[in-house]
């Protein structure tokens, strides 16, 4: 999964017009996460969610759904079902890659819903940078865009924020940016 994630990062770098190996050093020694999700059936699925609406704080999420499905993405101003395919992965952009692309790629707002009759399982791999490496959009992209949209930060700072101060949702990255900038102001004053 790590090798697949690294190949996807190379393709994303090329799509941004930077060297395909630009992000390699950031992720090569990163401690990524693999998680198995289990969503029991629920007789009243409208009363619960497997996971509420959120964007992953990581860089990429590579997801495999079982045949039951239950992944929804928010697109075109509505929740859309992502049909399960046993022969395919779903790849979501996370907040960290949004910052690395200077906002050109957007985090994917998604949720998981439960099924009334069947238990659901999924396997998620989260590609994360090395904790002490600086997350920064390439200078070429910032120059072309005319402005830098996110401050430099380390993955450990974003991870700390999402684990201790803020539950990941659709506004994690903007709220992290405010928190990071205010904490820098507090420490330099």
């Amino acid at each position: 999964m790590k090798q697949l994630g690294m190949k996807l990062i190379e393709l994303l770098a090329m799509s941004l017009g930077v060297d395909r190996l630009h992000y390699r050093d950031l992720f090569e020694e990163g401690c990524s996460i693999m998680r198995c999700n289990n969503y029991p059936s629920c007789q009243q699925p409208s009363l619960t969610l497997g996971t509420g609406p959120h964007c992953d704080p990581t860089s990429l999420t590579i997801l495999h759904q079982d045949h039951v499905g239950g992944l929804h993405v928010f697109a075109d101003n509505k929740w859309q079902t992502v049909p399960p395919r046993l022969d395919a992965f779903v790849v979501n952009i996370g907040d960290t890659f949004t910052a690395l692309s200077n906002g050109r790629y957007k985090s994917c707002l998604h949720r998981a819903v439960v099924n009334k009759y069947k238990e659901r399982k999924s396997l998620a791999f989260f590609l994360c940078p090395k904790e002490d490496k600086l997350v920064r959009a390439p200078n070429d992209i910032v120059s072309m865009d005319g402005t830098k949209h996110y401050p430099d930060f380390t993955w450990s700072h974003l991870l700390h924020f999402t684990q201790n101060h803020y539950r990941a949702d659709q506004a994690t990255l903007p709220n992290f940016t405010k928190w990071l900038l205010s904490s820098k102001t507090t420490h330099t004053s």
Side-chain angles (χ1 to χ4, degrees), residues 135-155:
V135 173
R136 169 191 290 160
N139 290 333
D140 291 350
I141 292 174
V142 173
S143 293
M144 283 188 278
D145 293 350
T147 187
K148 186 175 182 173
H149 296 293
Y150 303 98
D152 297 347
F153 61 90
T154 61
W155 168 238

Side-chain angles (χ1 to χ4, degrees), residues 7-56:
K7 287 292 181 194
L8 291 169
I9 289 291
E10 286 181 20
L11 292 170
L12 289 167
M14 291 167 37
S15 76
L16 290 167
V18 297
D19 184 274
R20 71 180 182 88
L21 301 178
H22 180 84
Y23 298 113
R24 177 178 291 248
D25 187 50
L26 187 63
F27 292 99
E28 214 163 33
E29 295 177 23
C31 185
S32 296
I33 304 160
M34 178 79 84
R35 183 175 71 205
C36 182
N37 300 307
N38 181 53
Y39 305 98
S41 62
C42 179
Q43 293 303 307
Q44 296 180 303
S46 62
L47 298 180
T48 188
L49 282 174
T51 60
H54 68 285
C55 295
D56 295 331

Side-chain angles (χ1 to χ4, degrees), residues 43-83:
Q43 293 303 307
Q44 296 180 303
S46 62
L47 298 180
T48 188
L49 282 174
T51 60
H54 68 285
C55 295
D56 295 331
T58 56
S59 296
L60 289 180
T61 302
I62 304 170
L63 180 79
H64 186 266
Q65 301 187 80
D66 66 7
H67 65 284
V68 177
L71 175 64
H72 291 174
V73 295
F74 196 74
D76 299 324
N77 291 317
K78 63 182 177 181
W79 287 107
Q80 313 231 6
T81 300
V82 178

Side-chain angles (χ1 to χ4, degrees), residues 80 82 125 128 141 159 165 178 187:
Q80 313 231 6
V82 178
F125 176 80
C128 306
I141 292 174
L159 184 62
H165 300 287
K178 288 178 197 167
H187 293 305

